[in-house]
Amino acid sequence: MDTAIASVSQSPFGLKTRPICSYLTSGSVSALGFSLPGSKCPIFARRGQVLIAKASVSVEQKTETRTAVIRIGTRGSPLALAQAYETRNKLIESHPELAEEGAIQIVIIKTTGDKILSQPLADIGGKGLFTKEIDEALINSEIDIAVHSMKDVPTYLPEKIILPCNLPREDVRDAFICLTAVSLAELPAGSTVGTASLRRKSQLLNRYPSLKVLENFRGNVQTRLRKLNEGVVQATLLALAGLKRLNMTENVTSVLSIDDMLPAVAQGAIGIACRSDDDKMASYLASLNHEDTRLAVACERAFLEKLEGSCRTPIAGYASRDANGDCIFKALVASPDGAQVLETSREGPYICNDMIKMGVDAGEELLLRAGPGFFNR
């Protein structure tokens, strides 16, 4: 396992599994794509109409003079680091004693999904490839908590790990980024849109069958913007949440509505895991948890679990509060070619058990309507 320890001070910025419902109960870093607080060095360069990051990553490793109170495990991408620092900052806000020099370390762990970029995720094992090594480090007590993008977390968690905390959810919508058109509707027939997401591909082709999709358009946000600038594709779609966390919304051409592009399950949500027997870390995380987000994510992941969703299946789901404070859950499944999209929705109390039931019921309905072989078209 490849790791690097980022010292955080006050000034700079085969496992056994268990189902989703179980988790409900129980040195400085300079990184591509964002500036750390206190940094005076700009790391963006403008090319055309899209800002891209200069190709430089520096991780300074140094020996700590004290043992960290909390070691935060994370991937090393700019977005993952931004989320780790957001977690660190919220911990310090809630627990000022953690602002002491060396109290928090950020441990960068390179996952298999980060190493293999030439193949689709589905061909190399699916989304768990972005969490497996981090889970192992947590179980082995090499880190104390793990910060994840929730849409990357499998519906089954390894034994000895719980995920009791979600930070407040960011904007769940997808962003359209293009140098020549202001919307998908204005792209000329035959234009190529780059995305590694089957969810985006299927919904896009369902609405705009005259467009083409470049699959396996993988890499971090900066890599995808670079490919767009180089003309590899005419447009791309990215999660608006990630662009906001990276302070890169100036790249957004337009934002797709929920009706135009239903988001991925748990899109825009950050999840923080710890060991099931670590009461101290569980207490820290309890102080950060945003319950509305946790319940929405639980509803969506119950839906995904029922469908046994993976990177090979175009699935979307979004739970939110309506004007009356109740839950409205919208969901869909699609054939990979976008020829058919099946949609459903549920409404009910914004209460954990009711919301999980909504997700399960929606999954059962769509499984029945889709029938065998639907995802193999």
Side-chain angles (χ1 to χ4, degrees), residues 45-192:
R46 182 176 293 276
R47 291 183 58 190
Q49 298 177 23
V50 174
L51 289 177
I52 62 174
K54 295 179 181 177
S56 63
V57 177
S58 172
V59 177
E60 177 186 324
Q61 300 186 39
K62 72 180 198 177
T63 302
E64 290 299 319
T65 58
R66 55 160 290 170
T67 302
V69 176
I70 301 178
R71 296 164 297 170
I72 301 176
T74 177
R75 294 167 58 202
S77 73
L79 179 56
L81 286 170
Q83 294 177 164
Y85 279 101
E86 180 178 345
T87 301
R88 172 258 186 195
N89 291 339
K90 289 184 180 296
L91 281 167
I92 290 174
E93 288 172 8
S94 298
H95 306 277
E97 70 276 11
L98 295 176
E100 184 182 349
E101 177 76 27
I104 298 177
Q105 283 182 351
I106 291 180
V107 181
I108 300 169
I109 300 170
K110 195 162 189 177
T111 67
T112 302
D114 296 315
K115 298 174 185 177
I116 304 175
L117 297 175
S118 59
Q119 298 172 259
L121 290 174
D123 293 347
I124 55 175
K127 289 184 180 179
L129 291 175
F130 289 117
T131 58
K132 181 174 180 291
E133 286 83 356
I134 298 175
D135 288 339
E136 290 172 346
L138 185 57
I139 290 170
N140 294 332
S141 298
E142 296 167 13
I143 57 176
D144 301 302
I145 62 175
V147 178
H148 298 293
S149 292
M150 280 303 303
K151 69 177 182 178
D152 291 335
V153 178
T155 53
Y156 281 76
L157 296 173
E159 289 185 353
K160 301 181 181 180
I161 291 180
I162 58 174
L163 208 162
C165 174
N166 289 118
L167 299 185
R169 196 172 198 174
E170 189 43 279
D171 197 316
V172 303
R173 295 173 296 171
D174 285 307
F176 172 72
I177 303 176
C178 182
L179 303 180
T180 58
V182 298
S183 68
L184 283 167
E186 291 193 10
L187 282 175
S191 297
T192 301

Side-chain angles (χ1 to χ4, degrees), residues 302-303 306-307 346 357-370:
F303 167 71
K306 188 63 186 180
L307 291 173
R346 295 289 188 279
K357 186 176 185 299
M358 279 187 264
V360 173
D361 286 348
E364 289 176 343
E365 177 196 330
L366 292 183
L367 277 175
L368 183 63
R369 288 170 57 190

Side-chain angles (χ1 to χ4, degrees), residues 23-26 70 87 90-91 94-95 98 144-145 162-168 271-275 278-292 294:
Y23 81 79
L24 293 170
T25 56
S26 303
I70 301 178
T87 301
K90 289 184 180 296
L91 281 167
S94 298
H95 306 277
L98 295 176
D144 301 302
I145 62 175
I162 58 174
L163 208 162
C165 174
N166 289 118
L167 299 185
I272 312 175
C274 66
R275 290 180 294 279
D278 194 335
D279 293 339
K280 182 178 180 180
M281 291 302 124
S283 178
Y284 278 129
L285 297 186
S287 68
L288 303 189
N289 182 56
H290 187 257
E291 191 65 2
D292 268 20
R294 189 181 75 89

Side-chain angles (χ1 to χ4, degrees), residues 294-361:
R294 189 181 75 89
L295 296 183
V297 168
C299 175
E300 295 165 20
R301 283 167 59 83
F303 167 71
L304 184 65
E305 183 183 6
K306 188 63 186 180
L307 291 173
E308 297 182 350
S310 72
C311 291
R312 294 185 183 275
T313 51
I315 296 171
Y318 176 47
S320 61
R321 282 191 186 272
D322 63 17
N324 297 318
D326 292 326
C327 176
I328 180 166
F329 176 58
K330 298 180 179 181
L332 69 78
V333 296
S335 58
D337 61 3
Q340 189 173 6
V341 174
L342 304 178
E343 301 177 80
T344 191
S345 64
R346 295 289 188 279
E347 296 182 17
Y350 209 97
I351 300 171
C352 183
N353 289 340
D354 296 86
M355 293 171 70
I356 289 175
K357 186 176 185 299
M358 279 187 264
V360 173
D361 286 348

